[in-house]
Amino acid sequence: VNEGSSGGPLFNMKGEVIGIASFILSRSEGFQGISFATTSNIAKELMGKGRPIWIGIKGYYISGPLAKIFNLPQSGGVLVQKVIPNSMGEALGLRGGSYHMTMEEEELVAGGDVLLTLDSITLNNEQRIMKAWSYLKQLKSGDSLKSTVLRSGKVIELWAIVPKM
């Protein structure tokens, strides 16, 4: 996997797609380093199986040292980098960032909210994020959605009614 290969398929020896390239940690900006991918089952779940849900944010999962740098009150969260107009993210009142930065060779937009929970689901690891995704897919127009975010150093709650999808 090289930089720029994100989103590309990973094949097994039978030519079957088994994953999607995600990102690489590399000092050489080439294939040398550690590459990450998501399984084809997770990609199917997110992209085509069941009713699609679009929350309308560009987010980045932060944990470990980044969670400490951002002073998260839990072990992980979703950094909201951008909120799309007329989306569920906008209805919730989420705020995207405005400060472009590079951390550990990763381009980030910081200064916005960090999503901590969606309803009662804490977004502190990837499994919980997948659980929240499944929960969002079950919501119907008119349902209410509560989120907890870290904004300007304070934990606040945001509420919204799910718009017509």
Side-chain angles (χ1 to χ4, degrees):
V1 175
N2 289 313
E3 287 201 23
S5 297
S6 295
L10 300 176
F11 298 96
N12 66 12
M13 295 303 286
K14 296 178 186 175
E16 300 166 324
V17 175
I18 59 169
I20 306 293
S22 178
F23 67 96
I24 183 170
L25 294 176
S26 172
R27 293 187 191 272
S28 69
E29 296 186 18
F31 64 88
Q32 298 170 329
I34 300 172
S35 300
F36 297 87
T38 188
T39 66
S40 57
N41 290 337
I42 289 174
K44 285 178 194 173
E45 179 70 26
L46 292 175
M47 298 301 291
K49 185 179 166 188
R51 190 176 132 254
I53 183 78
W54 182 67
I55 194 163
I57 66 168
K58 179 180 179 188
Y60 184 86
Y61 176 67
I62 57 176
S63 63
L66 280 179
K68 289 181 182 177
I69 289 169
F70 283 91
N71 292 316
L72 297 191
Q74 59 192 43
S75 60
V78 177
L79 175 65
V80 179
Q81 298 186 86
K82 183 177 183 178
V83 180
I84 308 302
N86 303 315
S87 68
M88 185 67 201
E90 183 181 62
L92 267 171
L94 294 175
R95 294 183 185 168
S98 57
Y99 300 103
H100 295 265
M101 56 192 293
T102 303
M103 290 192 102
E104 297 178 352
E105 299 179 22
E106 194 72 35
E107 296 283 329
L108 298 175
V109 180
D113 293 335
V114 179
L115 264 169
L116 303 173
T117 67
L118 280 173
D119 275 342
S120 62
I121 304 168
T122 304
L123 305 176
N124 60 351
N125 64 47
E126 291 164 4
Q127 292 79 20
R128 306 281 294 170
I129 291 172
M130 291 303 297
K131 182 178 179 180
W133 188 264
S134 294
Y135 173 76
L136 288 172
K137 287 187 352 182
Q138 296 173 18
L139 293 175
K140 298 175 187 72
S141 180
D143 288 347
S144 64
L145 178 65
K146 179 180 98 170
S147 67
T148 306
V149 300
L150 179 65
R151 178 180 289 167
S152 301
K154 296 179 181 148
V155 176
I156 63 170
E157 288 184 352
L158 303 172
W159 292 82
I161 301 297
V162 176
K164 206 173 208 183
M165 293 183 225

